C-alpha cells in the first residue's frame, strides 16, 4: 500500500512537472505554438474535406462499375449516380428503370432486354438502387424490392409500371415498356446511336 502511494505521488509530481515545462515552452514560443496549432487545424480540415469527397467518388465508381457492366445493350443507359436526380428533372422526357443490382427478377429483366432489344422503341435509363434508398423511396414512391419503370415529362411522373405486377412478363414486358408515353423517341434514338 505504501509503495502504491509513493508511486502515485511520484507520477503526479512528474506529470505536474511535465505540464509545467510544456506550459513554459508554449509561453516562451507563442508564435511557433500558434503556427503549429493553426497548421494542425488546417491539415485536419483539409483531410476531412478530402475524405468526404473521396467517399462520394468511391461510391460513384462502385455504382458505375456495377451498372456499366450489367447492361450491354445500347438502349439502356446507366444514369450517373451523382447527377441522376438532376437528369430526371432537366430532361424534357425520360423513361427510367429503378432497380437493385441483383436478384432473380433483375436477371430476368436483363435477359429479356438482351433478347428483345430490337423490339424496344425507346432508350431508357437505369437508376440503380444502391445507396440513399430512403431518399429514393421518398422522392419517387418506389418499392426498392421491385423493379419499377417510370416515365417523366419535365421532371414530373406521367406513367409507371412495376415488373413484378406483370402477369406474363416474358410476353408482356417489352410491350408494356413500349407503351410508356412516346415523347421524342426519334431524338432519343438518334442520341443513343451516337
Amino acid at each position: 500500500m505504501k509503495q502504491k502511494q509513493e508511486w502515485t505521488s511520484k507520477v503526479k509530481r512528474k506529470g505536474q512537472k511535465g505540464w509545467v515545462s510544456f506550459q513554459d515552452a508554449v509561453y516562451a514560443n507563442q508564435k511557433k505554438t500558434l503556427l503549429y496549432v493553426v497548421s494542425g487545424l488546417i491539415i485536419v480540415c483539409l483531410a476531412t474535406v478530402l475524405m468526404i469527397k473521396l467517399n462520394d467518388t468511391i461510391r460513384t465508381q462502385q455504382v458505375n462499375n456495377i451498372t456499366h457492366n450489367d447492361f450491354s445493350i445500347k438502349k439502356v443507359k446507366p444514369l450517373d449516380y451523382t447527377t441522376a436526380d438532376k437528369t430526371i428533372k432537366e430532361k424534357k422526357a425520360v423513361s427510367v428503370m429503378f432497380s437493385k443490382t441483383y436478384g432473380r427478377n433483375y436477371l430476368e429483366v436483363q435477359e429479356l432486354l438482351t433478347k428483345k432489344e430490337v423490339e424496344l422503341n425507346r432508350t431508357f435509363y437505369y437508376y440503380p438502387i444502391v445507396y440513399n434508398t430512403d431518399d429514393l423511396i421518398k422522392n419517387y414512391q418506389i418499392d426498392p424490392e421491385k423493379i419499377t419503370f417510370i416515365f417523366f415529362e419535365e421532371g414530373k411522373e406521367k406513367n409507371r409500371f412495376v415488373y413484378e405486377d406483370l402477369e406474363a412478363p416474358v410476353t408482356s414486358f417489352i410491350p408494356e415498356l413500349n407503351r410508356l408515353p412516346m415523347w421524342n423517341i426519334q431524338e432519343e434514338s438518334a442520341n443513343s446511336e451516337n
Side-chain angles (χ1 to χ4, degrees):
M1 187 76 163
K2 191 175 183 181
Q3 282 180 334
K4 187 177 180 183
Q5 286 176 344
E6 286 176 17
W7 181 80
T8 305
S9 64
K10 190 176 181 181
V11 168
K12 283 183 181 177
R13 275 181 284 164
K14 281 191 174 185
Q16 288 172 345
K17 211 180 215 182
W19 179 248
V20 170
S21 63
F22 173 74
Q23 284 178 323
D24 290 342
V26 168
Y27 286 119
N29 300 308
Q30 287 181 357
K31 286 182 182 177
K32 203 182 249 186
T33 302
L34 185 60
L35 181 66
Y36 288 145
V37 168
V38 169
S39 298
L41 287 173
I42 290 172
I43 289 170
V44 167
C45 289
L46 287 174
T48 302
V49 169
L50 182 64
M51 291 305 292
I52 290 169
K53 281 295 191 189
L54 278 177
N55 189 29
D56 288 344
T57 304
I58 290 168
R59 279 185 171 189
T60 301
Q61 271 311 102
Q62 287 173 335
V63 170
N64 287 343
N65 284 340
I66 290 169
T67 58
H68 286 295
N69 295 334
D70 280 356
F71 289 102
S72 59
I73 66 173
K74 291 180 179 180
K75 292 190 177 181
V76 179
K77 303 287 183 196
L79 277 173
D80 182 350
Y81 210 72
T82 55
T83 60
D85 294 325
K86 184 179 176 190
T87 301
I88 290 170
K89 286 178 184 169
E90 291 180 354
K91 282 208 173 254
K92 275 189 175 182
V94 62
S95 296
V96 181
M97 171 183 148
F98 294 88
S99 169
K100 289 193 173 184
T101 58
Y102 58 87
R104 184 179 60 84
N105 289 339
Y106 174 74
L107 294 174
E108 281 178 21
V109 166
Q110 206 176 358
E111 185 180 334
L112 284 170
L113 288 171
T114 304
K115 285 181 181 176
K116 299 184 178 193
E117 179 181 9
V118 293
E119 295 177 31
L120 273 174
N121 67 4
R122 72 183 61 249
T123 299
F124 66 92
Y125 289 96
Y126 173 46
Y127 195 138
I129 301 173
V130 180
Y131 300 111
N132 304 328
T133 306
D134 292 336
D135 291 340
L136 284 172
I137 292 168
K138 181 181 171 190
N139 293 341
Y140 301 108
Q141 290 81 42
I142 59 170
D143 180 348
E145 300 303 318
K146 295 183 177 182
I147 301 170
T148 306
F149 292 84
I150 302 177
F151 174 77
F152 296 94
E153 188 179 307
E154 296 179 358
K156 293 185 170 100
E157 180 182 331
K158 292 296 180 184
N159 198 1
R160 80 165 53 206
F161 77 90
V162 177
Y163 177 78
E164 287 79 359
D165 293 346
L166 298 174
E167 289 183 28
V170 173
T171 56
S172 63
F173 172 60
I174 297 297
E176 191 67 33
L177 189 57
N178 286 338
R179 263 193 286 278
L180 290 174
M182 300 195 31
W183 180 293
N184 292 338
I185 287 178
Q186 289 83 13
E187 183 181 315
E188 267 188 80
S189 296
N191 289 340
S192 69
E193 290 171 8
N194 293 334

